[in-house]
Amino acid sequence: MITAYVYQDRQLTMSELSIKDTIPPGTIWLDLYKPDDSEREWLSQFSVEDVPEEEDINEIEASARFYQNNDGLHINSLFPQRAGQDVKGVNVSFNIRQHYLLTLREEDVGLIRLLRNYLRLGRIAATTPQALLLALFNLKVDYLSDLIEDVYTVLENVSEEVFKNEELDDVFKLITRQEDSNGKIRLSLLDTQRSLRFMQKSYRDQLSDEELKDLREMLSDIESLMPHSQFIFDKLNFLLDAAMGFSGLQQNKIIKIFSVAAVVFLPPTVIASSYGMNFANMPELSWEFGYPMAIMMMFGSAVGTYFFFKRKGWL
């Protein structure tokens, strides 16, 4: 799907294009969502270099994610995306051209929808390609900050569950999920930092003083969010260690119960074994009260062992 955002007469209009159309005059943003081969072929008519493929967008090498060629400045950036209780990363390709911003993406991105709504409502006044990109990155930094707060809130609840010593299996799953989410948030923060620094270094001449100020403020915000992300990693490690410790205590209590039970029933077992040998010369075998005496001895030895452990504080 090809969508063009045209800014004319101080108004922003959005229109969907087909492969038979040309790029409208005044376009400041051209968004290609899940482009097929025909749409990529259409875009190649307006490009000097090859149109990036999906594999190119998902490359992790810096030389493939941040570069400049005859089509302008290219930035492949990782965007966080909520997927139920998890967070996943979606790569989006940005190409700042002379008159418009080109985006290529294979998945729907909530922040791009948010930017589109803000533009339509007039809450963001962006009239240049670089202003659009900076506005989107600003939303991204704010969203990452919200995600960090969400993870921290979840961990506060996890802390209570850990110290209640209940449902530790669910706690382990939740800690693992939050560790994965925080890792992706941190990766997205680092990717955004690299993108903004590359833009600051390679596109400085095209940025206004106000845009440079916004860029520096975003870099400063990212720097302030990094310690929070590291703090969450430390808290996750603490909670994981605490949960494992409590799990070990539970297992030790169970083993302790079995150990005490075995020791308590050891004296009765010795008595029963003695009278189960069936030797010919055992006086108690012909004694009228031999059987009750043996039962009382076994019961008394078990009770005595139990109270001995209780007095020692081992139970």
Side-chain angles (χ1 to χ4, degrees):
M1 185 173 67
I2 307 171
T3 307
Y5 298 82
V6 182
Y7 186 78
Q8 283 184 334
D9 300 327
R10 297 183 179 180
Q11 289 186 346
L12 185 71
T13 58
M14 181 181 69
S15 60
E16 293 188 7
L17 306 180
S18 69
I19 57 175
K20 297 179 181 179
D21 298 323
T22 60
I23 299 176
T27 297
I28 62 170
W29 182 13
L30 191 65
D31 180 38
L32 273 71
Y33 173 51
K34 290 186 177 179
D36 54 26
D37 292 339
S38 61
E39 290 173 337
R40 290 181 182 276
E41 183 67 26
W42 174 85
L43 180 60
S44 65
Q45 302 175 38
F46 309 98
S47 305
V48 179
E49 306 288 345
D50 293 335
V51 176
E53 298 290 338
E54 182 178 358
E55 295 79 9
D56 301 326
I57 297 174
N58 293 323
E59 282 285 346
I60 61 174
E61 294 182 2
S63 58
R65 297 185 69 81
F66 315 106
Y67 61 94
Q68 196 165 9
N69 60 18
N70 294 324
D71 284 327
L73 193 73
H74 294 262
I75 295 176
N76 295 340
S77 187
L78 188 66
F79 278 73
Q81 187 86 335
R82 274 287 186 193
Q85 295 181 347
D86 300 323
V87 176
K88 68 174 184 178
V90 179
N91 280 302
V92 181
S93 174
F94 297 94
N95 179 199
I96 303 180
R97 300 193 174 186
Q98 185 175 3
H99 300 294
Y100 60 89
L101 173 68
L102 171 66
T103 55
L104 290 169
R105 54 195 174 100
E106 294 296 330
E107 296 185 46
D108 190 21
V109 178
L111 288 176
I112 290 182
R113 292 199 310 270
L114 183 62
L115 176 65
R116 186 170 58 224
N117 290 334
Y118 281 177
L119 289 171
R120 188 164 48 233
L121 295 173
R123 294 182 60 178
I124 293 178
T127 59
T128 62
Q130 57 269 22
L132 271 174
L133 183 58
L134 289 175
L136 182 58
F137 272 49
N138 211 337
L139 292 175
K140 180 182 176 183
V141 173
D142 290 341
Y143 184 58
L144 287 169
S145 176
D146 293 339
L147 288 178
I148 289 175
E149 290 181 5
D150 291 343
V151 172
Y152 186 80
T153 301
V154 172
L155 291 185
E156 287 295 315
N157 297 328
V158 172
S159 300
E160 296 179 4
E161 293 296 326
V162 169
F163 294 111
K164 284 179 182 176
N165 203 15
E166 299 175 354
E167 302 295 336
L168 287 181
D169 288 342
D170 294 335
V171 168
F172 280 123
K173 292 178 183 178
L174 193 54
I175 290 175
T176 302
R177 181 179 290 117
Q178 296 308 311
E179 193 278 337
D180 180 69
S181 297
N182 190 56
K184 289 174 180 175
I185 291 170
R186 188 174 180 85
L187 180 61
S188 187
L189 280 171
L190 290 170
D191 178 85
T192 306
Q193 186 182 56
R194 293 170 65 196
S195 301
L196 292 172
R197 284 179 175 171
F198 176 76
M199 190 174 179
Q200 185 183 40
K201 177 182 177 181
S202 305
Y203 212 70
R204 177 183 294 271
D205 295 339
Q206 286 78 15
L207 297 174
S208 65
D209 292 340
E210 188 66 28
E211 289 169 343
L212 283 171
K213 179 183 176 182
D214 290 341
L215 192 150
R216 286 191 292 268
E217 286 179 353
M218 279 188 280
L219 287 172
S220 177
D221 289 341
I222 292 173
E223 289 290 343
S224 65
L225 289 174
M226 286 296 186
H228 291 282
S229 177
Q230 183 59 47
F231 169 76
I232 288 177
F233 272 125
D234 295 338
K235 188 174 181 66
L236 283 165
N237 289 330
F238 167 75
L239 290 176
L240 184 60
D241 291 341
M244 292 181 67
F246 280 120
S247 178
L249 287 174
Q250 284 185 337
Q251 293 177 357
N252 289 338
K253 287 180 180 178
I254 295 172
I255 294 172
K256 182 179 179 181
I257 292 171
F258 282 111
S259 300
V260 170
V263 174
V264 166
F265 288 105
L266 180 60
T269 303
V270 172
I271 296 171
S273 300
S274 299
Y275 288 103
M277 291 186 289
N278 296 323
F279 287 112
N281 297 320
M282 294 183 69
E284 291 86 353
L285 292 177
S286 58
W287 185 30
E288 181 181 357
F289 299 103
Y291 176 71
M293 183 200 70
I295 295 296
M296 291 179 63
M297 287 174 62
M298 287 187 286
F299 179 77
S301 62
V303 172
T305 305
Y306 172 81
F307 280 109
F308 175 77
F309 275 41
K310 192 77 172 178
R311 184 176 181 182
K312 289 289 186 180
W314 296 343
L315 290 176

